[in-house]
């Protein structure tokens, strides 16, 4: 410890201003730091305070958004599980726009509807071309 530690310990124990900060008469608190601050250090303290307030406001806003999203996701799942038709779920989606599950469901519902319409139009073309009428209406298939 003597080879490397002693020069660093000596530097830490030196008193550059003549008065020891530990044994000083003035207590160290935020008010004393601000009142004795230079203009540059006061500006830095002010900037740090403003950024701290901004950070905390963002944190609290995100907590609020995530809680609202969670509540709406629970409501969406309840409606989705109780419903027997996707169109009923689609009608409820407008009121639950904060849930990420709504966007996922709407994308799937749009794709499902597009594929079913495409299959229905292909059946009409086949019937017009003289397809076998005995086969009846073909069950829609998804790709």
């Amino acid at each position: 410890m003597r080879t490397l530690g002693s020069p660093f310990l000596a530097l830490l124990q030196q008193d550059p201003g003549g008065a020891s900060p530990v044994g000083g008469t003035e207590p160290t608190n935020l008010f004393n730091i601000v009142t004795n601050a230079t203009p540059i250090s006061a500006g830095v303290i002010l900037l740090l305070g403003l950024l701290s307030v901004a950070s905390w406001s963002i944190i609290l806003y995100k907590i609020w958004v995530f809680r609202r999203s969670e509540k709406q996701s629970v409501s969406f799942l309840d409606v989705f599980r109780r419903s027997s038709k996707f169109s009923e779920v689609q009608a409820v989606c407008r009121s639950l726009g904060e849930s990420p599950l709504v966007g996922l469901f709407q994308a799937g519902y749009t794709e499902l509807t597009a594929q079913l319409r495409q299959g229905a139009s292909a059946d009409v073309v086949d019937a017009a071309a003289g397809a076998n009428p005995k086969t009846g209406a073909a069950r829609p298939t998804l790709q």
Side-chain angles (χ1 to χ4, degrees), residues 19-84:
S20 175
V22 176
T25 59
E26 189 174 317
T28 305
N29 60 27
L30 186 60
F31 180 73
N32 287 337
I33 292 172
V34 172
T35 56
N36 296 330
T38 64
I40 292 175
S41 61
V44 169
I45 291 171
L46 178 67
L47 181 64
L48 288 173
L50 291 174
L51 291 175
S52 177
V53 169
S55 297
W56 278 105
S57 63
I58 290 170
I59 290 168
L60 294 175
Y61 173 74
K62 287 297 185 178
I63 289 172
W64 178 67
V65 166
F66 286 139
R67 284 190 180 160
R68 187 174 62 190
S69 175
E70 182 182 14
K71 287 178 185 177
Q72 288 191 7
S73 292
V74 168
S75 298
F76 174 79
L77 285 174
D78 185 44
V79 169
F80 183 79
R81 290 178 179 145
R82 284 187 293 120
S83 179
S84 60

Side-chain angles (χ1 to χ4, degrees), residues 93-111:
C93 285
R94 290 182 187 91
S95 65
L96 301 174
E98 298 296 322
S99 172
L101 298 176
V102 169
L104 182 65
F105 171 78
Q106 287 178 330
Y109 184 73
T110 302
E111 181 64 26

